[in-house]
Amino acid sequence: PIRSQFVLAGNIRDTFLIPFEGSVTLAPLLRCLWVHLAKLDYRFLLVYDPVEGLRPYPNEPAPVELATRLFDLKLVDGAMPMSLENLVGTMRKVAAMREARCALVVDFASRLARSPNQLDAAEHRFFVAAERISLAAHPVVPKGADISTSTGKARFNPTLWLVNRAQDLPSWLVLD
């Protein structure tokens, strides 16, 4: 509940231990994030990557239907093509969403800018908008949540930046 955006960097393509049916199993990072956030009453993730666009996660009927309805997704083969300019609007919507807890995962974030310390105009607008969204975001309680339980606590709908090479992001985005 402290921050609205996180940069996860390093060996993000590894597998990690997660609890599974009374034991543990190895899973990719996205599944690990989902297992943790689902326990906090997050209903779905929206996963963006520059090639596929935006897709709901997990790829199960209820989360896909809810994400599609709330974000007016036009899915083709499970994803919706999206530009960085349109991603800003989705980031704003995620941060303010009160119908259901959700999070935005920006995968391959280190590949969004061609030259991280010399952004072109569109890249600059995108990263400035992302910074502004992080500063303006407030924790939310979903509509109809029971505030006497842990699921009724105010939490951010965060943006999670998955970065395999932190040096490929603008220096102001990543703290050393």
Side-chain angles (χ1 to χ4, degrees):
I2 298 171
R3 299 276 184 251
S4 65
Q5 294 191 23
F6 298 89
V7 175
L8 303 175
N11 298 331
I12 61 169
R13 303 295 172 211
D14 285 356
T15 54
F16 304 90
L17 289 174
I18 61 169
F20 181 73
E21 297 179 356
S23 185
V24 293
T25 190
L26 289 171
L29 181 60
L30 190 58
R31 185 70 188 168
C32 294
L33 290 170
W34 174 244
V35 166
H36 177 73
L37 291 172
K39 289 178 187 174
L40 297 173
D41 200 36
Y42 284 77
R43 305 286 299 281
F44 59 88
L45 306 175
L46 289 176
V47 180
Y48 171 83
D49 82 62
V51 174
E52 299 292 325
L54 192 68
R55 65 183 168 90
Y57 185 91
N59 188 15
E60 298 167 0
V64 169
E65 186 280 323
L66 182 60
T68 299
R69 181 175 56 81
L70 293 177
F71 288 87
D72 194 30
L73 301 178
K74 309 291 187 243
L75 301 177
V76 176
D77 294 328
M80 182 173 111
M82 181 170 284
S83 67
L84 285 182
E85 186 176 302
N86 291 334
L87 183 58
V88 168
T90 300
M91 291 173 81
R92 283 190 188 103
K93 250 182 123 170
V94 166
M97 178 55 62
R98 293 196 65 229
E99 301 298 318
R101 288 197 193 283
C102 59
L104 174 65
V105 176
V106 180
D107 203 354
F108 297 94
S110 55
R111 300 292 182 242
L112 295 177
R114 289 184 187 147
S115 178
N117 291 313
Q118 293 185 327
L119 301 175
D120 68 27
E123 294 165 342
H124 183 262
R125 277 191 306 277
F126 170 76
F127 284 110
V128 169
E131 182 180 18
R132 289 187 66 188
I133 291 165
S134 77
L135 296 172
H138 297 287
V140 295
V141 176
K143 290 180 181 174
D146 181 355
I147 59 172
S148 66
T149 67
S150 65
T151 59
K153 289 185 178 178
R155 289 192 171 91
F156 287 103
N157 289 333
T159 296
L160 306 166
W161 302 81
L162 303 187
V163 178
N164 62 330
R165 294 171 34 113
Q167 65 268 29
D168 289 338
L169 282 178
S171 58
W172 52 265
L173 184 61
V174 181
L175 298 175
D176 290 327

